Amino acid sequence: MPPFNLTTFMPATFILTGIPGMEQLHVWISIPFCSMYLAALLGNGVLLFIICTERSLHQPMFLFLSMLAIADLTLSSTVVPRMLALFWFHAREISFGACLTQMFFLHFTCSVESVILLAMAFDRFVAICFPLRYGAVLTMSAVAKVGLVALLRSFCIIFPCIFLLRWLPFCGHNIIPHTYCEHIGIARLACADISLNIWYGLVVPFTMAALDLILIAVSYGFILLALFRLPSRTARHKALHTCGSHVCVLFLFYVPAAFAALTQRFGRNIPPEAHILLANLYVLFPPLLNPIVYGVRTQQIREKAVKVFICPKRRLLRQ
């Protein structure tokens, strides 16, 4: 009997299965996921509104923060609505083009966030180590160029993944055991060697992220040296408080990202449902917690939030 020969083709659609082994719990799992997504939309929306409407916040630090909020909204909105449709309406089919588009914006946005976090570290470095030159170094033009660099670098890193996937021959199997499309998950459906996809998807983004982390660490090394030299204890405490917010955001972004990427490629002993849950929380936790961290720990944001939302209500009550 001749062996069964699968015809190679470009699939019209992929099938997303959700979280394998937990299909009966999809509706219940969607409740906290949906709540976190709505809270992330609200938190980042409020943050953007405050920064846009308050002219005193039109400074590099807060402009970078608004870029981070936009990236967070893009990251969560790329994944969560499609995932909720899968959980609620069993909308498991996704076209090949839509899958590649989701994959691109997912990885592209993560890369953009890495550059923005580096820019925020550089902003704190200049503000603390060279305060007199801050206005000359971080102009509005410089901030705009940083945003452009973030977009261009991320595009150049992630766009080749689309070509690497389109060149692969796919066989009859088109089921992705995940809630969304990502590079290696799609590549594993191919009936060909995907070593290039694995190494490109691991080496290039990790090299860029590692470079960003090294530069961030160097910036904070100089910042700590400068803080210990400050004569005023109040000024030292204020600077540490501001930098503390940024350090919290760095941990929220890089630690889950590294863990999710490494377990996707090397974590064979980790149950797939644990990996998929972590991958979904990764696109929800940073967008959810970033505005909370900055809103709670940054005095200017707190004051402006009170001015925008609390004071008008008090005036209405007095009338």
Side-chain angles (χ1 to χ4, degrees), residues 5-14 96 165-175 189-191:
N5 185 23
L6 287 172
T7 305
T8 300
F9 71 107
M10 191 69 70
T13 60
F14 288 120
F96 183 75
L165 290 172
R166 292 191 68 89
W167 286 339
L168 286 174
F170 289 87
C171 301
H173 178 48
N174 67 338
I175 298 174
L189 301 181
C191 48

Side-chain angles (χ1 to χ4, degrees), residues 59-73:
Q59 304 169 22
M61 173 184 172
F62 298 105
L63 293 177
F64 288 136
L65 182 54
S66 65
M67 291 181 190
L68 185 66
I70 293 171
D72 281 338
L73 289 172

